[in-house]
Amino acid sequence: MLSLRESVTIIVFAVITLLISPFALAATTHNITLTAETLPNGQIAYAMAGNEAVIPGPTLFVKEGDTVHVSLTNNTSNTVGFKVPDLAQSGSGQINPGKTKSYKIKANKTGSFVYHGNSNGKELLGLFGAIIVDKAHGPIDSYVNGDGSIIPVKANDIDKHFVLFMVGSTFWGTEIIPDVAHQKPLWANPNPGAVENDIVRFHILSIGPGHTFHLHAHRWLKTGTSEVIDTKLLEEGIDTHSFTIKAGAGVGPGHWQYHCHLIAHMEAGMHGSFIVDPAGGDGASLVGASPYGNILLGTKPNEPGVVTFEVSDEPASWFRSARGDAIVELSKPSAAGSPLQGADIKTRSLEVISPGSSVNFIMSDTNGAHTISSLLWPTGAQHMPFDQTSAYRGGGFVTLHTPGLYVFTCKVHPYMFGAVIVDDPDTEGLDLGNPQSNYTIDLVTGIKNLPTSSDLAVRLLKTFFIATAPDNWQDYSSGQWNVTFPNLPLITSGGVVNLSALLNINGQALSVGPAPQKFGVGEVWINTQFEKTAGKYKPGTSTVVDATTWTVKRKVALPQINNNNPHNMWSNRDQSVIYQTQWFDNKFSMIERETGKLIKNITVGYSPSHVVTIPTTDDITIAINGENGISVIPAGTTQVTKMMPTQDHGHISANPHGHWISADGSKIVTPNINTHDIGIYGASGGIHARTPTGNNAPGAHPIAIGMMPDSSKIYAANLLHHTLTVLNGETGALIKTINLIADYNPITGAFTDGDENNDPEAYGILPIQSPVSPDGKAVVIASTGGQIVIVDTATDKIVKSLPCDPGCHGANFGAKQGGGYYAYVTTKFGNRLTVVDIDPNGDGDISKAEIAGYVSLVDNAGTAKDDMVSGLPGFGGQGVLAVPNVYNGWVQNLPAYWKEGLTTAQQNPIGD
C-alpha cells in the first residue's frame, strides 16, 4: 500500500502533467489546489498541492474553452486572493489567514495571463503567476528562422518554456520542460539556458510599473502579426507578451543579454543572460537568488539567497525587510528557542546575508517615486556605489560579495534607510567593514577607508538605529528617553565589540521644557509627517500652534484624501489658504487656514517637496522632487498649467528639493539633489545659471535654499557634504563654501577650533533647511545630526550652534511680538518644536542667539481635530510655516489685518 506522502506525490505529478502536456486536449475542467505561503525571506508566494512555494507561482497551461477551478488556502498572516484580470472569473475577494476560498476561471481567449493575489500591493512581493491559454488545435505560435522565414509551431514542438515576470526592477523566472512535466523555479534574475536550435517559448509578464523587454541577437513576431521585432513595451499595471524563437538562430551559441530597455531599470539590476550552448551542450539554466538561500535564518545555505526590502511610506520602515516583523519578534528576550533570542532588534530595516547573496528592493507600499542609492559600503566592495540616475516607481536588485555593512537610501527622501550586513562566516562577529581593508568603509561623499570604530562611523550607526526604530525616538509625552540598540557582536576596525555597548546612550528624563517667555505673532504650522490617525492608513498631519499662547490649536489630518506624508507648506497672499505638499505621493493640497478644511487635492507630479509663491503674482510653484521640474499653479486657480524644467532636455533629471524665490519674483533657485548643483531659473522658465556645490565633491546632495532679503546672496545646504554653499545672487557664481564640521575630527570625535570663529563646538552634521532671517542678519540651519547652526551673513562664518533633538530638519522664521524674529525648528524623531531667538537682546549680535523655549506638538483636550491621533503623536516634524509670512517681498503684500500685528521694521525688513 502506498504511503500518504507517496499518494500525494503521484497526484501532484498527475496534475502538473495534465496542465503542461500538449496532448491534454480532452481535458476541459481543471481542479487546482493552491496555498499561499510565507517564504524564509518574508516574501509570499503560491504553492501547488503541498509543494514548495515558488516565485512566480505554478504556471497553468490550459486550452481555449477550458475551465479552471482553484481552491486557495491562505497560510500567511496577510489577506490574499486569486484574480485573473483578463479572463472571465467567478468568485472573488480576499481570504483571511487560515481560511480557504474557491475561484472559477473560464479560459475564454488565448494568450498569456497574470494571476495575482489582489492584495493591495502584497502581490508584488511574489503572489503572482501565469496562466497560458493556447489554441485547442493547430499551431500555437511561429518563430523567425535564421534565413528570415516564418515557421509555424505546435505545442509539442516546444523544447522549453521560460516564464519571466518583470516586477519592480527584477525578473522572476520559471523553466518548464514539457516532455518531463517539469517546472523548475529559476528565482530572481536568472540566466535561462537552451541548446542551439532548441525551440524556446518565452512568456514575459509584468505586474506594477511598466517595462520594455529586449533580448539580444534574437527576433520574433509581434503578437498576431508578421512584423518582426526584438523589443516589446509592457504597459503600466498588468501586461503580457509571449513569443517563440529558435535558440541561436542566425547568430549561434553565446550569452545573449536580456533586460528592460529603460536605462534606469537596467542600472537598477533588471537584466540577465540567455545562455545558448552549442549542439551537444546541456543547455542548463543558471538559477538566480532564492528566497530560501544563504541569508540569516535561510533554509538552503548552499544556494545564493535574496532578502527583500519593501519601499514603504511607513514612518521608520521606509526600507522595510519583508520579514522585518518576524525578525523583531524572534529577537525579543522572550523569544525562547529562537536563534536570535535576546538580540533585541527593534528596526525592521536591517538584514544579514552571506557573500554572494542579493538584495531586492520593491516599491510595493509607496505612492511616491524613489531611487535606491548607496550611502556607505565596505571599502573595495564590488558593484559599489549602487545608484539610479532617475527616481521612478520600481525598485532595485544588487548582489553583494564583499563582507561588511551596506546602507542604502533614497536620494529624493534621504532619511530613508535600509542596511545589509554581509557576514563572513569565518569571522567572530558580524562584519562591519571589509576584512581585507582592516574593516573600513567608504561613504558616498568621497570619504574612503573610514575606520568602523571611528567617531563618524559610530554617529552614522546611531543615526540609523534611531531613525529606523520608533521605540528610540524622543517622546516628550512619556517623560523618559530610553534608547536601546541590538545586542549583536560586531567586528570593527577596533576589534570585536557588542553593538549595544558601542552605541550605548544612557536613559534620560524628558520634559518638553519651558515655553518662550515672549509670544510670537499668529500661528505656526508644522508638518508632523509621521503622526498617525485612525481614519487613514498613510501617515501625516499638520499641527497648528497658536504662537500667542504656545498651545496646539488644531490637527489637520485630511482623512478623506488619505493625506500622505505632508512635507512642506506656504500660504497665499492674504494668508487664508495653506498650500501643502505630499512628499511620498504625487498630490498637493489646498487647505482653508481658519478651519483646516480641505479645499482641493491636486495631482502635480511625483514626490512634490516644497511650495513657494511668486511674491509679485502669488502664483504657486512646487518643486517636483521625484521628477525634473517646478510645477506652476496660477494664483486663484487649482490646476497645474505647466512644469518648468530644471534640467535641459536629454540630460539626467535634476530632482529639485527646497527652492526659494527672489523678493522681486524674477528668479527661482533650486537645490538639485541629483545633479549636485544650484539652478537659477527665470520665473517663467529658462536656465540662468548652474553652480556645482560642495566643492564638486561626489554626492554633496544640496537640499535647501536660503536667500538674502535683497537677493544679493544665495545659501544652499549640502546634506551629505556637511557644508553651506554661498553664491552671488545675481550671477550664481560661487562666493564661498562654509565647512560646517571644520571643528570636528571624524576619527576621534574631538573638537578644535578649525574655522577661526573661536568656538570649537560650533558645528553642524547633515544640514537641511537653511533659511535667511527676514532682516538678512543670519542663516539658521537645522542639522539632522542634532545641531542648530547660526551663520552670520555679514562674515559668512558660523557664530554658534545650539542643541537640537534627533533628526533636526525644518527651519523657518516668524515674527516675534514687539519686534524681531523667532526661528522655528522641527525634528523628525522628537515631538516638540524648538523656538530660537537669533537676537535676544535686540542689539544685532547674533552670536548671542539662544533657544527661547519649546512647544509640545502633542494634541490636548482643547485641540480641534478632523481625525483622532492613533500613533506617533507629534512626530515627524518637517516643513514649518509661520503665519503671517514675514519675508521680504511677501510681507509687503499682507492685508491690513495681518500688518497690524507687526512692527514697522517687521513690515519692511530691509528698510527703504
Side-chain angles (χ1 to χ4, degrees), residues 39 52 67 88 131 362 389 467 479 554 649 741 788 836 854 906:
L39 305 181
E52 183 178 80
T67 299
I131 296 180
I362 179 69
T389 55
R554 186 179 301 279
H649 180 71
I741 57 170
I788 301 168
V836 175
Y854 303 92
Q906 288 170 335

Side-chain angles (χ1 to χ4, degrees), residues 579-888:
Y579 304 133
Q580 175 184 277
T581 60
Q582 296 177 55
W583 197 23
F584 282 62
D585 217 296
N586 62 352
K587 300 295 194 302
F588 168 84
S589 302
M590 295 181 174
I591 303 166
E592 190 176 89
R593 186 193 60 78
E594 288 190 0
T595 65
K597 292 182 178 180
L598 178 70
I599 298 171
K600 185 82 171 181
N601 197 36
I602 306 163
T603 299
V604 293
Y606 278 113
S607 299
S609 54
H610 283 230
V611 51
V612 184
T613 59
I614 297 176
T616 52
T617 65
D618 216 26
D619 289 352
I620 305 163
T621 68
I622 307 158
I624 306 303
N625 201 186
E627 299 186 35
N628 183 39
I630 302 287
S631 287
V632 177
I633 301 176
T637 70
T638 59
Q639 187 172 355
V640 173
T641 58
K642 63 179 177 180
M643 181 186 286
M644 297 187 298
T646 46
Q647 175 68 295
D648 284 328
H649 180 71
H651 294 238
I652 64 171
S653 295
N655 298 102
H657 189 84
H659 66 301
W660 198 263
I661 299 178
S662 60
D664 64 3
S666 65
K667 295 186 182 72
I668 299 175
V669 184
T670 66
N672 298 321
I673 65 169
N674 203 35
T675 50
H676 310 295
D677 59 34
I678 302 305
I680 302 177
Y681 311 90
S684 299
I687 299 174
H688 291 187
R690 295 287 289 275
T691 305
T693 64
N695 290 334
N696 291 309
H701 207 104
I703 196 165
I705 297 294
M707 186 179 283
M708 290 290 286
D710 62 359
S711 306
S712 60
K713 286 192 289 189
I714 296 166
Y715 293 87
N718 302 302
L719 175 68
L720 299 182
H721 196 227
H722 317 290
T723 58
L724 186 70
T725 296
V726 188
L727 304 181
N728 181 296
E730 180 63 29
T731 67
L734 178 68
I735 296 174
K736 185 177 183 179
T737 299
I738 304 172
N739 183 0
L740 301 179
I741 57 170
D743 293 346
Y744 167 64
N745 185 318
I747 305 299
T748 66
F751 289 91
T752 56
D753 188 15
D755 55 7
E756 301 178 352
N757 62 2
N758 298 317
D759 186 352
E761 294 195 16
Y763 71 104
I765 295 176
L766 301 171
I768 304 186
Q769 203 157 3
S770 48
V772 179
S773 59
D775 57 12
K777 293 179 181 177
V779 182
V780 171
I781 309 168
S783 297
T784 202
Q787 305 85 32
I788 301 168
V789 182
I790 313 296
V791 172
D792 188 335
T793 59
T795 62
D796 286 334
K797 289 185 178 181
I798 302 172
V799 294
K800 195 163 191 177
S801 65
L802 302 167
C804 192
D805 292 338
C808 198
H809 186 101
N812 231 327
F813 283 93
K816 182 172 62 175
Q817 285 188 10
Y821 300 95
Y822 280 137
Y824 297 110
V825 181
T826 65
T827 57
K828 296 184 286 287
F829 312 123
N831 52 1
R832 66 177 178 176
L833 176 71
T834 301
V835 183
V836 175
D837 193 334
I838 61 167
D839 186 9
N841 300 327
D843 58 6
D845 185 356
I846 64 168
S847 67
K848 297 176 183 176
E850 64 183 16
I851 294 175
Y854 303 92
V855 181
S856 170
L857 299 180
V858 179
D859 59 317
N860 55 64
T863 302
K865 295 184 282 286
D866 59 358
D867 201 7
M868 297 302 296
V869 175
S870 59
L872 301 179
F875 279 106
Q878 308 268 331
V880 55
L881 172 71
V883 177
N885 185 335
V886 290
Y887 288 100
N888 186 48

